[in-house]
């Protein structure tokens, strides 16, 4: 049993923050929240309390779409749109993950920075290389942070060194599953899990997509990919898959769209039948506002997806996104939504701060189970934030969380927890 005291702020629902000033939170030995209390109940009175004084205690962040091998390209090479950008900058960098030394160095830096940014859970694309992906898995296992790790499926329309044929890729996925299983044998609910990751329709032959769909269903593995990010991409998918009404239906046809839990990044042009299929299939949309700006992809209709009861999480999508900060991603999601609101002649409301915060915590966290809020039975993933330099003359706690989102950064985080355990800084090579 651990008891912490701080200003507790979270979003059990998207509509509003729940704010508990100088409250106690009790965390069981299983790492799960037992309750939040204004006064400590007598049954806990024998336990030691860790008092974080006037600091904020918020849920740790969930980055639900990010490319680990693109870490070195973060903040550079943003002068092209998606398809040219992939060929000119992204594929050449991913090819380097055949070299284990490069993989070790860049993946250690990536995992280190996730930790810095307070991202305790993530859904990650690696590359098509099996040995390098095991290195990434190993680094997550050592870190104590939670992750879905995706060996990327790609066997067409890319440089030869990134091609991995269907059979080899499926064998690689088996190897990754076995590796994660063996390393977490004693865990009832392992923190690091495999995820089926076809890069996107243009990268995978129908045969690969079909086999991946089969494998996902056979082992009940979740799926992640890209959907309707860019107009030229959508046109290309229409040519490749002429018999289905939308891009989403192509994934669905292969068993890769909600047949098991599914994350789809971007959804910039998702509407009509595609939106309806998303809703019916319980697919989570992952909004990547920084990436959508940098690659000039478009403003995703996030409020419209939410209004259609489609869950929306947030992703940094490095290196389409130019940073790994979920705080900046929350900020940018709100700002883009406001631009869209103005552009749409105010017919669709913009998303609120609490809605965007919810996306970055509880909506993304739902993919990991009960994660992302401090409700009873939820895994205690938390950040202790010292915002004293941001807090002049006693702002309200609502204004303090707002200022932290808009002005704060990783330097303000003093302690990080994942599933009840304090997480120490991972080694950076
Ligand atoms: N679509 C296919 N691959 C990628 C990628 O690496 N990044 C982004 N943003 N979109 C993609
Ligand atoms: Fe992406």
């Amino acid at each position: 049993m651990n008891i912490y005291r701080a200003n507790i702020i979270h979003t059990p629902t998207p509509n509003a923050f729940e704010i508990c000033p100088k409250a106690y939170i009790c965390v069981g030995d299983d790492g799960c929240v037992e309750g939040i209390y204004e006064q400590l109940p007598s049954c806990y009175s024998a336990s030691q309390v860790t008092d974080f004084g006037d600091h904020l205690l918020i849920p740790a962040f969930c980055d639900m779409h990010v490319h680990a091998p693109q870490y070195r390209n973060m903040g550079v090479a943003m002068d092209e749109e998606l398809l040219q950008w992939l060929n000119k900058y992204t594929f050449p960098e991913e090819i380097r993950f055949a070299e284990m030394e490069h993989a070790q160095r860049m993946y250690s830096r990536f995992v280190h920075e996730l930790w810095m940014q307070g991202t305790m859970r993530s859904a990650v694309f690696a590359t098509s290389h099996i040995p390098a992906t095991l290195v990434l898995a190993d680094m997550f296992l050592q870190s104590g942070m939670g992750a879905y790790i995706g060996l990327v499926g790609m066997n067409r329309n890319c440089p030869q060194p990134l091609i991995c044929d269907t059979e080899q890729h499926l064998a690689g996925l088996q190897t990754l599953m076995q590796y994660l299983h063996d390393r977490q044998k004693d865990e009832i609910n392992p923190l690091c899990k495999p995820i089926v990751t076809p890069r996107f329709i243009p990268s995978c032959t129908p045969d690969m997509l079909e086999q991946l769909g089969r494998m996902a269903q056979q082992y009940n593995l979740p799926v992640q990919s890209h959907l309707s990010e860019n107009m030229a991409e959508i046109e290309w998918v229409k040519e490749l898959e002429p018999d289905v009404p939308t891009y989403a239906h192509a994934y669905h046809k292969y068993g890769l769209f909600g047949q098991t839990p599914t994350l789809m990044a971007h959804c910039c042009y998702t509407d009509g039948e595609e939106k309806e299929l998303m809703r019916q299939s319980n697919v989570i949309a992952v909004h990547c506002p920084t990436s959508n700006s940098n690659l000039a992809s478009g403003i995703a209709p996030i409020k419209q997806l939410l209004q259609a009861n489609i869950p929306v999480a947030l992703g940094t999508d490095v290196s389409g996104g130019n940073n790994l900060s979920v705080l900046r991603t929350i900020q940018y999601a709100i700002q883009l939504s406001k631009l869209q609101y103005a552009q749409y002649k105010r017919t669709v409301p913009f998303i609120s701060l609490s809605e965007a915060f919810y996306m970055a915590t509880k909506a993304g966290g739902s993919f990991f189970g009960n994660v992302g809020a401090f409700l009873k039975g939820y895994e205690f993933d938390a950040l202790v934030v010292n915002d004293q330099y941001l807090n002049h003359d006693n702002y309200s706690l609502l204004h303090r969380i707002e200022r932290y989102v808009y002005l704060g950064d990783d330097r303000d985080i003093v302690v990080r927890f994942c599933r009840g355990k304090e997480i120490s800084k991972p080694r950076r090579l």
Side-chain angles (χ1 to χ4, degrees), residues 65 67 70 82 85-86 90-91 94 125 199-200 203 226 229 233 266 291 295 317-318 320:
H65 182 80
H67 298 261
Q70 297 173 20
L82 177 65
W85 171 85
L86 284 171
T90 305
F91 292 153
E94 292 195 12
F125 282 57
R199 184 175 204 116
F200 66 158
S203 294
H226 297 92
E229 176 176 5
E233 171 210 17
H266 305 300
S291 172
L295 299 179
D317 192 27
V318 159

Side-chain angles (χ1 to χ4, degrees), residues 62-68 110 114 120-126 133 136-137 140 145-151 176 180 184 189-197 220-224 261-263 284 364-371 379 419:
C62 302
D63 186 344
M64 300 311 289
H65 182 80
V66 61
H67 298 261
F110 170 78
L114 283 183
M120 294 294 116
R121 309 267 180 164
S122 49
V124 183
F125 282 57
T133 302
L136 179 64
F140 272 110
M145 304 188 297
Y148 280 102
I149 297 154
L151 176 70
L176 176 63
L180 290 170
Q184 301 171 102
N189 182 15
L191 277 165
C192 297
K193 296 179 184 173
I195 183 164
V196 170
T197 307
N220 194 29
L221 296 174
V223 173
Q224 62 179 353
T262 303
L263 297 168
I284 300 181
S366 72
F367 208 68
F368 296 89
N370 288 333
V371 172
E379 297 178 30
R419 196 184 274 170

Side-chain angles (χ1 to χ4, degrees), residues 22 31 36 100 104 111 138 164 183 199 238:
K22 301 268 172 82
I36 296 177
M100 295 307 281
Q104 294 270 5
V111 171
D138 192 48
C164 183
R183 293 283 307 270
R199 184 175 204 116
K238 266 189 200 144

